[in-house]
Amino acid sequence: MSHSMQQPQYGPPQFGQQAPPPVPMRNGLGTAALVLGIIGTVSGLIPFFFWLAGILGLIALILGLSGRGRVKRGEAANKGVTTTGAILGLVALILSVVGAVLTFKAVDEAVDEINKAATGTTASKEPAAGKSDGAAKGDGAAKGDAKGKGAGLAAGDTAVYDDDLKITVSAPKAYTPSEFAAGHTAGNKAYEVTVVVENGGKKKFDTTLLTTDARAGKDGVNAEQIFDEKVGSGFSGTILPGKKSTVRFAFDAPTAAKELTVEVSPGLTYDASQWELKL
């Protein structure tokens, strides 16, 4: 072979000649995945922030997987950071799904409660013990006839609600307020009634929102509730299934009043029931 056909020979680099620069490590994807994964996971723990956790978690997972690819190719050295970011991104996605389910469930329950509050739970009439069905019809309505009206109840009758909550108001009797009673006007008469609440349902009943009001006479003037050391404390706490709670109330009425209308409202999701009491 001729001398002109031979390949040129290169010797080792001479002193002072620079070697090719190394490939720079690009660690940005792993760091970004870690930061977004942390923020997404924290967002997933906050109610109603499931949407933010889902978005950040998805981005963190994608960046983390891309960062691991760079690590395998030798373009990045932050394997631990990248892996942690990808894992946190996955955790944030899981939390976002759980948060979405819980949020939608809470919203659905809230809508149901609003619908109940709008329609109101109605009551049927249960005549007082010893009163015949015919007599009950003469009073205004028999059991079932009064359903949805929340009125037409006489002394001793029981309002029975759809959830088996039962409320009974006794006949009024004269009451003598104490010297320092509030709500009593000199010259008026005071009358006491007993209100019994029985929980016949399967869930405990909270009496916090239960209110009792009264009107007196044909004109329906407001009958002030009387407060002293014996009456006026009202209901408190909860009533367990199968249990009762009894409270005495006293109301101030003009001397000429011949009837007292007592209205009991068990709460926001119930219709109020009224008792027409003879004085």
Side-chain angles (χ1 to χ4, degrees), residues 11-252:
Q14 300 298 320
F15 179 77
Q17 184 177 355
Q18 293 183 352
V23 178
M25 294 294 181
R26 294 178 291 175
N27 300 325
L29 290 180
T31 303
L34 179 62
V35 173
L36 294 179
I38 293 174
I39 298 175
T41 301
V42 174
S43 300
L45 299 175
I46 302 176
F48 304 109
F49 275 79
F50 64 89
W51 56 272
L52 181 60
I55 295 174
L56 296 181
L58 179 61
I59 297 175
L61 181 60
I62 294 175
L63 294 180
L65 294 177
S66 299
R68 284 179 58 83
R70 287 186 175 181
V71 171
K72 291 181 180 180
R73 295 192 299 269
E75 299 175 358
N78 56 344
K79 180 179 180 181
V81 173
T82 302
T83 303
T84 304
I87 294 175
L88 289 178
L90 182 60
V91 171
L93 282 175
I94 295 174
L95 290 176
S96 70
V97 173
V98 175
V101 172
L102 295 178
T103 300
F104 293 145
K105 183 178 179 180
V107 171
D108 186 59
E109 291 178 352
V111 171
D112 289 341
E113 290 298 324
I114 293 174
N115 291 335
K116 288 181 180 180
T119 58
T121 301
T122 58
S124 60
K125 176 181 176 181
E126 184 176 285
K131 187 183 294 185
S132 66
D133 290 341
K137 289 181 180 180
D139 286 339
K143 182 179 181 180
D145 292 340
K147 186 177 179 68
K149 296 179 182 179
L153 300 172
D157 287 347
T158 300
V160 183
Y161 287 87
D162 297 340
D163 59 354
D164 288 330
L165 181 71
K166 301 179 180 181
I167 300 178
T168 307
V169 177
S170 70
K173 62 181 181 179
Y175 180 75
T176 303
S178 66
E179 181 181 359
F180 301 101
H184 177 59
T185 302
N188 284 356
K189 291 184 177 180
Y191 297 93
E192 175 190 336
V193 297
T194 300
V195 179
V196 179
V197 178
E198 179 180 358
N199 185 3
K202 298 181 180 180
K203 297 180 180 180
K204 64 182 180 180
F205 173 70
D206 189 355
T207 63
T208 303
L209 299 179
L210 189 149
T211 59
T212 302
D213 301 292
R215 296 182 295 275
K218 293 182 179 180
D219 295 332
V221 297
N222 183 47
E224 292 287 344
Q225 184 177 340
I226 298 173
F227 297 88
D228 60 16
E229 65 274 11
K230 297 179 182 179
V231 296
S233 58
F235 289 93
S236 62
T238 58
I239 304 175
L240 296 177
K243 299 296 183 179
K244 298 181 180 180
S245 181
T246 303
V247 173
R248 297 162 56 199
F249 292 90
F251 297 98
D252 192 62

